[in-house]
Amino acid sequence: MLVTYGSSCEALARASAKLAGLKVLETSRRRFPDGEQYVRVGGDMRGEDVVVFQSLGLNPDSYLVEYALIADAIRGAGCRSVTAVVPYLAYARQDKRFKAGEPLSAKAFARLIERAGTDRIITVDMHLHRFSKISEVFDIPAVNVSAMPLIAEHYAKAHRGESVVVVGPDKESEQWAKQVADALSSRLYILEKERLGDRDVRVSDVSFGKGSRALLVDDMISTGKTLLEVVSKLKAQGFSPIDAAATHSLLVEGAYARLTEAGISELISTDTVPGQHSTVSVAPILARAIAP
Ligand code: R5P
């Protein structure tokens, strides 16, 4: 088994390969003058099972094309199988045709990954809401691992002995927040969220407790509006300090600045979408997931 990588997560691919004791095939890339992508994968991969790391955050369409080119390159070079490790899987939130004429993006995107020549996919904390299992979205063998145990371990080390309540902003966040609450032996509260637009949500009032430390847990932060709403509700009830943890930090349109201005003390996130808040690496769980 060999590991290779797209441009979105080279460091995570190397770290996971090192932990799994696997060799890395180097890739190179450039853009043609008209913007099309070119990739090349070096080394001998004939007859090998090759694992391709490519995260699909922030620039998913371009990263998907790059992934498809890599998958074709390694197929053409005679590999035996292609496993996609997609630490952040984009397009999963459109898991329903909400209005006539809309795509079922989660499934359409899955088909694109499969048809690029993928035999198996591994991802981290996929946004599962109306689909309850990854196997309902993909037709190929698919594994969804969770970063929440690593996030909880990181938080527990930093706040040993402190009392904290764990809060999830909406129903689907329970699957992630519960793992953290259980690991920290904390109380768990799940709020209700109504999405009013791409950048606008309404969250139910907080009717529990007062005053203690709170940790908001979600799978992802995009514009940060969901967490901002929860922070304002918790502040009104006197919770302090307020921390946040999410596997995938996209943090678009100045989200981090808005969250800190609103009073988030600490933001914990992973390297599924690498950035300055990637304090926890998912390399150990991915190394275990790819191991032969
Ligand atoms: C959707 O339900 C997700 O779990 C997140 O809560 C959501 O995508 C966060 O988006 P934003 O940060 O833009 O509110």
Side-chain angles (χ1 to χ4, degrees):
M1 180 177 273
L2 299 165
V3 168
T4 191
Y5 56 88
S7 56
S8 62
C9 60
E10 179 180 340
L12 178 55
R14 288 190 193 286
S16 306
K18 192 170 176 196
L19 290 173
L22 299 173
K23 191 179 154 210
V24 176
L25 299 171
E26 301 301 336
T27 58
S28 56
R29 63 193 51 73
R30 64 186 171 85
R31 290 259 175 193
F32 288 105
D34 54 13
E36 291 178 3
Q37 301 187 58
Y38 167 93
V39 298
R40 188 164 182 211
V41 185
D44 182 12
M45 59 210 88
R46 196 160 297 277
E48 299 279 0
D49 296 312
V50 181
V51 180
V52 184
F53 278 67
Q54 179 74 314
S55 203
L56 299 171
L58 294 174
N59 199 2
D61 307 0
S62 175
Y63 287 144
L64 179 66
V65 170
E66 187 190 358
Y67 168 75
L69 296 175
I70 292 171
D72 185 73
I74 59 181
R75 283 259 177 236
C79 78
R80 187 170 73 163
S81 72
V82 178
T83 293
V85 172
V86 179
Y88 171 69
L89 181 63
Y91 286 95
R93 285 170 293 174
Q94 176 87 16
D95 55 2
K96 183 182 163 183
R97 297 181 204 276
F98 296 94
K99 294 182 190 142
E102 286 185 348
L104 181 43
S105 307
K107 284 226 177 199
F109 201 65
R111 293 297 82 75
L112 291 173
I113 294 172
E114 288 166 0
R115 286 171 193 167
T118 310
D119 296 299
R120 177 172 78 118
I121 181 165
I122 297 167
T123 189
V124 184
D125 289 324
M126 176 182 175
H127 185 82
L128 288 171
H129 180 193
R130 289 169 190 88
F131 294 111
S132 60
K133 291 196 219 101
I134 190 171
S135 58
E136 292 167 21
V137 180
F138 283 91
D139 292 334
I140 54 174
V143 176
N144 181 33
V145 294
S146 182
M148 292 300 161
L150 295 178
I151 287 175
E153 194 184 312
H154 177 90
Y155 194 79
K157 268 190 201 143
H159 301 285
R160 207 174 292 285
E162 290 179 57
S163 153
V164 61
V165 298
V166 174
V167 182
D170 50 26
K171 198 172 169 345
E172 63 265 33
S173 68
E174 184 167 359
Q175 61 192 295
W176 306 295
K178 186 172 184 326
Q179 293 185 59
V180 175
D182 288 351
L184 298 176
S185 302
S186 296
R187 276 171 297 144
L188 170 67
Y189 296 99
I190 301 296
L191 303 178
E192 276 170 31
K193 179 172 91 181
E194 188 187 351
R195 186 159 281 286
L196 308 170
D198 292 347
R199 296 173 180 78
D200 200 8
V201 299
R202 189 186 297 139
V203 169
S204 58
D205 284 339
V206 166
S207 55
F208 47 84
K210 277 197 193 302
S212 75
R213 181 168 210 125
L215 172 62
L216 314 187
V217 177
D218 207 353
D219 59 333
M220 59 188 293
I221 308 169
S222 179
T223 64
K225 292 292 171 64
T226 298
L227 292 192
L228 284 173
E229 272 290 299
V230 182
V231 169
S232 80
K233 304 279 177 176
L234 289 172
K235 272 166 76 177
Q237 281 293 99
F239 282 91
S240 176
I242 301 172
D243 305 316
T247 303
H248 316 292
S249 269
L250 301 175
L251 293 172
V252 300
E253 302 174 352
Y256 181 65
R258 279 200 301 272
L259 287 169
T260 47
E261 273 161 33
I264 292 263
S265 303
E266 190 181 336
L267 175 61
I268 303 160
S269 193
T270 80
D271 51 359
T272 59
V273 183
Q276 63 180 126
H277 311 290
S278 304
T279 37
V280 172
S281 177
V282 294
I285 51 175
L286 291 178
R288 274 200 300 279
I290 60 176

